[in-house]
Each structure stands twice: as C-alpha cells, then as structure tokens.
Amino acid sequence: MELLKQKIQKEGTVIGSNILKVDSFLNHQLDVQLFNEIGKEFKRRFEGKEITKILTVEASGIGIACITAQYFNVPVVFGKKQQAVNMDPESYEAEVFSFTKKNTYQLKIAKRFLQPQDKILIIDDFLASGNVVQALLKIVKDAGAEVAGIGIVIEKAFQKGRDVIKDSQIQLESLACIEHLEAGKVYFREE
Amino acid sequence: MELLKQKIQKEGTVIGSNILKVDSFLNHQLDVQLFNEIGKEFKRRFEGKEITKILTVEASGIGIACITAQYFNVPVVFGKKQQAVNMDPESYEAEVFSFTKKNTYQLKIAKRFLQPQDKILIIDDFLASGNVVQALLKIVKDAGAEVAGIGIVIEKAFQKGRDVIKDSQIQLESLACIEHLEAGKVYFREE
C-alpha cells in the first residue's frame, strides 16, 4: 500500500536493526484518515470472504480494527492483557510474550463473544515474531470458530511471524512488508 | 442519547450498586455502528468548538475516540498505561488509581504529540471517580494546551467524577448519565 509506505518512510524512525517506531500515526498518535485508507484496503484484499467479527488485541490494534470494521459492518472484539474485576470469569486464554514490554501475559477473551459459527478476521498493527497472532489463532480454535483471514498493517518479514500460519490455508495480508531495517533506513519487500 | 440508553437497558448488567457491565458493546466487544452514532452526537454537542486533537486513554477509549475523530477530522492521541521500550523518554505523566484493576499507574503521553496551540477534546467511555479525566486535564495543562471539551459515553453521576471540572468553564457532555444503580436496574438522570 503505497500511501502507507510513504508515511513510514517520512515519519518512521528506525532504531537498530529491529525497531521501527511509528508512534506519530499508528500506535500513540493515530492518523484516522490513514486508518480509513487502511480499512478500505483490507476490505479490498478480503473481498468476497464471509466475515462476522474482527478480532484484535489492546491497545494499538483497536483503532485500526474499529475503522476497518466499518467497511465490513461487523463488531470488533479485542483481547485483554490484564484482568479487570468486572471481566467474565469464563474466558479463552493464551500466553503471549511481549518483546516491547519485556513481560509475559495471558491474553483473554470472554467466551460469550466468540461463537463456533464466527468467521474471524484478525487485525493488528504489527506482525513481528507472530506471538500475538499465534495466541489469537489458538483462542479462535478453542472457540471452535474459523479464521477467515489475517490483516496486518506492518509486517517485519525478517522476524518470521508469518511462519505461524505455514501449513494452513489462512490468507495473511500485510499492507507494508519490511525486508530489513539498516542504518536508519527501511527496506520494503518488493510486491 | 436515547439509542445508547436503550442499549444499556437491554445489554448492560448491573453488579451491586457500583458496577455497570457493558462489555457486549462498549469495552470488550465493540458495536462500531453504535460508535458512529456516538461520534455524530459528540460532533453535534461540540458543534462550533475549535478542536485540533482528540485525547483518550487506552484501551476502551480508543475505539470511540477513533470513530468520533472522523467527524472532527483530527488525529487521536491516547494515554499509555505501561512503559514500552520504544516509547519516547520525554513524556507528560500523571498518576491514576484504577478501581477496576486495583492498581496505580503512571499515565504517559509523549511530549511531541501535545503542543501549546492544541485545542483538546477529551473522550472516554466512562466517567466514574474522575481519576482518568483529572490525569488528562493535568497533562494537557502541563503541555500548555487547552481543553475544549470532555465527551463521556456513560457518566456514573453518583461517583462524582464531574467534580473534577467544577470551578472551570470546561464543557462536559455525557451521552448517558446514570443517577444510580439498584437491584439490578439502571436509573438514568432526567435530561
């Protein structure tokens, strides 16, 4: 997605060979106009797929998921990283290690928001190690529902997150796929 | 806002005299169609106000803030509750006690996303004790910016959160204002 790549080149900051900081438009300040273009592009890429629900993870995934949901006319459910006193005791869970926060948490989704008949579109801001997507795949499987597709805004191809869907038929679309980060520069994979 | 009140009556669960659970449409599963009606209503209530940015807090505020931002054509910035390794070291901070998570955290916003010329619309899902709004007011003040208004989806009037803006001229709008919760029922304040 050209507009997104331009935005990454213009506003992204590369730290070392692993971190791409895009907090001016994707995960701290949110460029909602850009999110709308992202939502339309996900709709185009998953055209014809039956989707009943969008699944994401707090916090950075929520904005993109909500804007995207407008193009699919479906609700969003987001995985929670912390237990709140008023959360359902009945939840699906999966363990995730966060590289940016250096901790392990239990990702939770209340059971009543995932039904066996659901066709899930997973949406997230980044695909890096694939830990989060793997946890969501486990949760959807535990619910007996089906993953209809995975939509990622930025894929860091060198961190191999895509391996979590190998040997499956799941369609994974990333709108900007990064081959590597080097000397402050972003190198995209040719499409 | 009648549609919202109907939704609360239909899907909300009252626990004791303090907790209203609305996770089927507001803070776990997200009803994006309803969010659009909420966004339109905020636009109507703050019509004519100059707004340059919407400020909210992760996680439940983000979806509502993003959908609402479409009607104001402005970006969203959300306060972070946890430190991430790739966050700016330069941030505004304020302490918040969370009643639902039973912990105290430092709410952080990177300094570069708040400028003295900003006119801020604060958006959040709930106004209860007012802790979060108070923290955001402090942060906006520390940035030398101005709060143009506060938009709340559900106000629990009996928890006195509105007191945080008394003696100020700030316009606070809540789309559903709850007088009290009793015996499993929600009693709205007459408008």
Side-chain angles (χ1 to χ4, degrees), chain A residues 21 23 27-30 36 53 58-59 70 76-78 80 82 85-86 88 100-101 110 112-113, chain B residues 21 23 27-30 36 53 58-59 70 76 78 80 82 85-86 88 100-101 110 112-113:
Chain A
K21 210 172 141 178
D23 58 356
N27 46 28
H28 189 4
Q29 180 166 254
L30 312 177
N36 263 297
K53 205 161 267 188
E58 65 177 347
Q70 297 176 124
V76 169
V77 174
F78 67 89
K80 301 211 175 207
Q82 270 194 296
V85 291
N86 55 354
D88 280 22
T100 51
K101 301 212 170 89
R112 75 204 151 97
F113 301 133
Chain B
K21 211 171 141 177
D23 58 356
N27 45 30
H28 189 6
Q29 180 167 254
L30 312 176
N36 263 297
K53 205 162 267 189
E58 64 177 349
Q70 298 177 123
V76 170
F78 67 88
K80 301 212 175 205
Q82 269 194 298
V85 290
N86 55 353
D88 281 21
T100 50
K101 300 211 169 91
R112 70 204 156 99
F113 302 133

Side-chain angles (χ1 to χ4, degrees), chain B residues 12-34:
Chain B
T13 310
V14 176
I15 302 170
S17 56
N18 270 310
I19 296 174
L20 171 66
K21 211 171 141 177
V22 285
D23 58 356
S24 70
F25 61 94
L26 192 64
N27 45 30
H28 189 6
Q29 180 167 254
L30 312 176
D31 182 337
V32 177
Q33 281 191 316
L34 177 69

